[in-house]
Amino acid sequence: EYAHAAAVLSQSSPNVANVESMPPPLPDLDPAAFGLRAYALYMAGEQRKEEEFQERNEANINDANNPNHDKDIGVSGLGVARNPYLLQLVSELGDAYKNTNASMLNPDNSNNMSFASNIDPQLDAFGLYVYGMVLSAAREQKIALPMSSTPKPHSILLQSLKQFPYNWSAWMDLAEYAINDRAAEIELEEDDSPL
């Protein structure tokens, strides 16, 4: 049902939707709906990844029972199961992140927290959390990202927590990321901005 939820919040393009991609989000989605669509699409991809892993594992077991099976190929010959929507999500959430940051600055007003009138923010605290999750998963799966323009997952998770510090899942993901990346841990320790 995750894929169905994401499809409901996506533009209708029957020629585009398949197991590898979903049509882009509907225009004018509010931040909550945009984040919900991204989360549903991420979870649909994780579900598909798990199904693909199980299918490959079952195929490998069936091949292992075959007397003509080459035991040296095993699981390594099957490839790695991946979330098919990860690249799409990195792109969509990256664009939304850029729009959100642009909307935070209003040159006509001295108050930096006011939103620009012509650009609405697309990512709230939960959308930022999903973006951090997606970036972390892309890094974990060794998916090549444009490093110059892609923020680090821990910085996005931290931004999410600054907007909504009660998101326990974001705290858990941030802690896991910091444990696995010493440079991120040092950077987080040095960050003295209040939550």
Side-chain angles (χ1 to χ4, degrees), residues 113-126:
M113 293 308 290
S114 66
F115 293 109
S117 59
N118 60 344
I119 303 174
D120 292 327
Q122 288 183 299
L123 296 179
D124 60 2
F126 300 104

Side-chain angles (χ1 to χ4, degrees), residues 74-140:
V75 176
S76 63
L78 297 173
V80 177
R82 294 181 186 246
N83 184 328
Y85 302 116
L86 213 47
L87 283 175
Q88 178 182 353
L89 284 167
V90 167
S91 175
E92 289 176 3
L93 289 165
D95 291 344
Y97 180 72
K98 289 173 190 163
N99 289 343
T100 298
N101 283 344
S103 71
M104 293 300 232
L105 301 174
N106 184 353
D108 299 331
N109 191 336
S110 61
N111 180 1
N112 284 339
M113 293 308 290
S114 66
F115 293 109
S117 59
N118 60 344
I119 303 174
D120 292 327
Q122 288 183 299
L123 296 179
D124 60 2
F126 300 104
L128 287 168
Y129 166 64
V130 174
Y131 188 33
M133 262 186 359
V134 165
L135 288 175
S136 184
R139 187 173 181 161
E140 183 180 299

Side-chain angles (χ1 to χ4, degrees), residues 28-48:
D28 303 327
L29 283 179
D30 69 342
F34 189 88
L36 178 63
R37 179 195 174 272
Y39 181 76
L41 191 56
Y42 175 77
M43 293 304 292
E46 289 298 298
Q47 189 174 35
R48 178 66 194 130

Side-chain angles (χ1 to χ4, degrees), residues 1-185:
E1 292 304 313
Y2 290 120
H4 182 68
V8 167
L9 296 170
S10 299
Q11 295 177 13
S12 59
S13 299
N15 298 337
V16 178
N18 61 37
V19 115
E20 296 292 323
S21 68
M22 179 75 64
L26 289 168
D28 303 327
L29 283 179
D30 69 342
F34 189 88
L36 178 63
R37 179 195 174 272
Y39 181 76
L41 191 56
Y42 175 77
M43 293 304 292
E46 289 298 298
Q47 189 174 35
R48 178 66 194 130
K49 180 177 84 171
E50 183 63 30
E51 290 168 357
E52 187 176 322
F53 177 77
Q54 288 176 355
E55 289 170 6
R56 290 177 180 194
N57 197 24
E58 287 173 10
N60 190 45
I61 290 170
N62 291 338
D63 286 345
N65 293 332
N66 183 343
N68 297 326
H69 174 68
D70 183 357
K71 299 203 184 325
D72 293 332
I73 295 176
V75 176
S76 63
L78 297 173
V80 177
R82 294 181 186 246
N83 184 328
Y85 302 116
L86 213 47
L87 283 175
Q88 178 182 353
L89 284 167
V90 167
S91 175
E92 289 176 3
L93 289 165
D95 291 344
Y97 180 72
K98 289 173 190 163
N99 289 343
T100 298
N101 283 344
S103 71
M104 293 300 232
L105 301 174
N106 184 353
D108 299 331
N109 191 336
S110 61
N111 180 1
N112 284 339
M113 293 308 290
S114 66
F115 293 109
S117 59
N118 60 344
I119 303 174
D120 292 327
Q122 288 183 299
L123 296 179
D124 60 2
F126 300 104
L128 287 168
Y129 166 64
V130 174
Y131 188 33
M133 262 186 359
V134 165
L135 288 175
S136 184
R139 187 173 181 161
E140 183 180 299
Q141 293 182 21
K142 298 180 182 4
I143 293 175
L145 301 173
M147 297 313 286
S148 62
S149 62
T150 305
K152 296 178 182 175
H154 67 275
S155 67
I156 300 298
L157 291 168
L158 190 59
Q159 287 178 41
S160 170
L161 287 166
K162 286 179 180 179
Q163 288 184 21
F164 187 76
Y166 305 107
N167 185 348
W168 185 252
S169 296
W171 283 109
M172 296 299 290
D173 286 355
L174 183 62
E176 181 181 343
Y177 191 85
I179 288 170
N180 294 328
D181 186 334
R182 180 69 180 137
E185 181 182 0

